[in-house]
């Protein structure tokens, strides 16, 4: 397995065991909460794959009462927040910085990511299958990131 080295914290993903996920963009000082209503770790990796295949992508988060969408364009990233108030935030983090941090954070928390949808991963077989699928996506994104 290749060694991944990161110099500074750009983004923090905190995957909680009760099905919630907190995502903080450090440079922008912006935070997004997401619930188990969406498969956050898997959706983030799918967004990364879509970005490398299409040069743009998005990921939708539901926090039970409000929603947020992370949008990656070729050079810029945005958060669209919908709730009591509608908001658009241009992130200071670049799409490639965000993708690198997503890989780092999910690798660091692979066990929590694999059991994020605990209601669907009650047995060891399902957990191992999900973990393997996430690892395959991590390798794909890491390889694409290194080739660009």
């Amino acid at each position: 397995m290749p060694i991944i080295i990161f110099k500074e914290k750009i983004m923090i993903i905190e995957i909680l065991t009760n099905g919630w996920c907190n995502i903080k963009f450090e440079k922008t000082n912006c935070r997004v909460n997401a619930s188990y209503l969406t498969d956050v770790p898997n959706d983030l990796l799918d967004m990364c794959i879509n970005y490398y295949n299409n040069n743009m992508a998005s990921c939708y988060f539901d926090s039970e009462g409000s929603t947020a969408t992370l949008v990656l364009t070729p050079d810029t990233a945005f958060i669209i927040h919908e709730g009591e108030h509608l908001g658009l935030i241009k992130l200071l983090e670049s799409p490639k910085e965000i993708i690198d941090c997503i890989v780092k954070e999910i690798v660091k928390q692979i066990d929590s990511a694999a059991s994020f949808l605990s209601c669907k991963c009650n047995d060891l077989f399902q957990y191992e299958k999900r973990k393997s699928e996430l690892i395959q996506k991590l390798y794909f994104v890491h390889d694409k990131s290194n080739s660009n």
Side-chain angles (χ1 to χ4, degrees):
M1 177 187 285
I3 297 174
I4 305 170
I5 300 172
F6 297 92
K7 295 181 179 167
E8 65 177 294
K9 287 195 178 206
I10 303 296
M11 180 173 139
I12 298 171
I13 302 172
E14 182 182 25
I15 302 172
L16 306 175
T17 55
N18 60 359
W20 283 84
C21 187
N22 298 316
I23 303 168
K24 182 167 185 195
F25 299 90
E26 292 286 327
K27 286 183 184 177
T28 309
N29 195 24
C30 172
R31 181 183 203 102
V32 173
N33 297 318
S35 77
Y36 55 86
L37 294 176
T38 59
D39 184 355
V40 178
N42 191 59
D43 293 348
L44 284 168
L45 288 172
D46 284 344
M47 177 193 68
C48 296
I49 292 167
N50 287 334
Y51 180 81
Y52 283 121
N53 288 335
N54 303 311
N55 211 23
M56 62 183 160
S58 65
C59 187
Y60 172 83
F61 309 105
D62 191 315
S63 62
E64 300 181 25
S66 65
T67 63
T69 305
L70 171 59
V71 179
L72 305 180
T73 68
D75 302 313
T76 310
F78 300 91
I79 293 286
I80 302 168
H81 183 267
E82 297 179 71
E84 225 176 272
H85 303 285
L86 180 64
L88 175 66
I89 300 166
K90 181 180 178 187
L91 298 173
L92 298 173
E93 296 81 359
S94 74
K96 292 188 181 187
E97 288 175 321
I98 291 169
I99 289 170
D100 287 345
C101 286
I102 288 169
V103 169
K104 173 191 157 241
E105 291 290 324
I106 292 177
V107 164
K108 195 167 69 175
Q109 303 175 73
I110 191 67
D111 291 324
S112 294
S115 61
F116 186 74
L117 296 176
S118 58
C119 58
K120 295 183 181 177
C121 295
N122 290 338
D123 63 50
L124 185 58
F125 174 77
Q126 289 291 20
Y127 166 81
E128 291 296 335
K129 181 181 177 204
R130 180 168 161 80
K131 186 174 178 179
S132 175
E133 291 167 355
L134 290 171
I135 289 170
Q136 287 177 353
K137 289 180 181 186
L138 284 164
Y139 272 117
F140 178 86
V141 173
H142 181 263
D143 290 346
K144 286 286 192 178
S145 177
N146 284 338
S147 67
N148 288 332

